[in-house]
Amino acid sequence: MQTTTLLLDPKNPDPEAIAHAAERLRQGDLVAFPTETVYGLGANALDAEAVAQIFAAKGRPARNPLIVHVADVAAAREVVGEWPDAAVRLAAAFWPGPLTLVLPRRASIPDIVTGGGQTVGIRVPAHPVALALLRAAGAPIAAPSANRSLQLSPTCAAHVAQSLGGRIPLILDGGATSGGLESTVLSLCGDTPQLLRPGLLSPARIEAVIGPIQRSANLPSQADVGPLPAPGMLSRHYAPHAPLELMNDTPAALARMHRLRLQGKRIGRLTFDPTYPTLPGLVILLMSRDPTLYAGRLYAALHELDAAGVDAIFVDAPPAEEAWLAVRDRLQRAAVTASP
Ligand code: TXA
Ligand code: MG
């Protein structure tokens, strides 16, 4: 399959290009598009056959539900069976934005979107291209991150093309995404709202609007370091091609790194230390000590190291503070060694 990329002004996308992409979606084709978090791979959420192509293109397990993107609250309410007070307040505070709400679904949403479950995740993305596309399509758009399953999420159109080129017909290129990391996923189905995936919107900001929420058992609670063994609650995801190790500068971790380097391997190093010593075989990327700036750069940095062809990646463990929850979650999943 030939993949076409349309270059758009991210602030003021060309209406004709948007109309063309919306028509492709209505016809049942896939369209990759930018959001403020990462690029999404969209299909008409009401068309089960179109959505099936997402799973095929990504190699995604069928039980993993998709987020449904809508243009506004009115469109969100068409998709869900309930719209509780917490949803009213969260949508008013954070939409358009990086918050996905999980609510009971309506029957109009096909099983393939929800992974066969009775709930659906919805959000209004804060990106002019995504919003224009949603309005022009006039339908809810199911869209996971636009990458092959388990790989790094794309933060620019080139990442999408590297991962899915030849497997999808159309990519809307709206430049690099500003957020760089996925939305926060929050379930409003139980008595207490539950954080299902940490993301760009922090738990503290959610709690400021609706009070206490529950953090899931499988979120990182401390800065675990080292290559994690085969998955327990954490499963490998969001991973670069090269094996990744979260490390403190302990003698053992440094020895592991330098042993590989002396064997002639190329090492990628994400560090907070601007004075990190340069050595042959070491590709050093300096990371911000600000969690928001770090999140915005993380996937792009890992993509860069993959493109540089490094054999292993060593990452300074981020602080064990809640502001770093989403970054730690992604790094810990990236560090899970694939089962033999
Ligand atoms: O920022 C984002 O959320 C991006 C952009 C494109 O919107 N999308 C994204 O989609 O990250 P994806 O498919 O890569 O991740 C969706 C996450 C998965 O962890 C999925 O299990 C969870 O949301 N999810 C979706 N619907 C759900 C549901 N009904 N119940 C529980 N979890 C759900
Ligand atoms: Mg994803």
Side-chain angles (χ1 to χ4, degrees), residues 88-126:
V88 173
R89 284 189 282 152
L90 289 169
F94 302 120
W95 279 0
L99 174 64
T100 296
L101 297 177
V102 173
L103 284 157
R105 73 192 260 205
R106 279 211 201 176
S108 54
I109 297 298
D111 278 345
I112 189 165
V113 172
T114 68
Q118 292 311 307
T119 63
V120 63
I122 45 169
R123 85 177 188 99
V124 179

Side-chain angles (χ1 to χ4, degrees), residues 167-284:
R167 304 177 71 88
I168 60 173
L170 185 60
I171 301 172
L172 299 183
D173 182 349
T177 67
S178 56
L181 205 76
E182 295 88 349
S183 65
T184 302
V185 181
L186 183 77
S187 170
L188 297 179
C189 294
D191 291 336
T192 309
Q194 193 186 6
L195 183 65
L196 298 180
R197 177 179 72 179
L200 282 184
L201 187 68
S202 70
R205 292 192 59 201
I206 293 172
E207 289 184 325
V209 174
I210 56 164
I213 65 172
Q214 204 181 314
R215 281 115 172 108
S216 302
N218 65 345
L219 300 180
S221 54
Q222 62 208 22
D224 296 320
V225 293
L228 297 181
M233 295 297 274
L234 285 177
S235 55
R236 182 173 167 87
H237 210 125
Y238 312 106
H241 294 298
L244 181 149
E245 175 169 341
L246 266 177
M247 66 185 285
N248 293 321
D249 278 348
T250 56
L254 285 174
R256 248 194 320 279
M257 187 178 88
H258 287 299
R259 197 176 325 117
L260 286 172
R261 203 175 58 77
L262 295 172
Q263 284 166 6
K265 306 278 194 224
R266 300 187 70 210
I267 306 293
R269 188 77 177 84
L270 296 194
T271 178
F272 292 115
D273 179 3
T275 66
Y276 203 86
T278 52
L279 286 169
L282 215 52
V283 182
I284 300 165

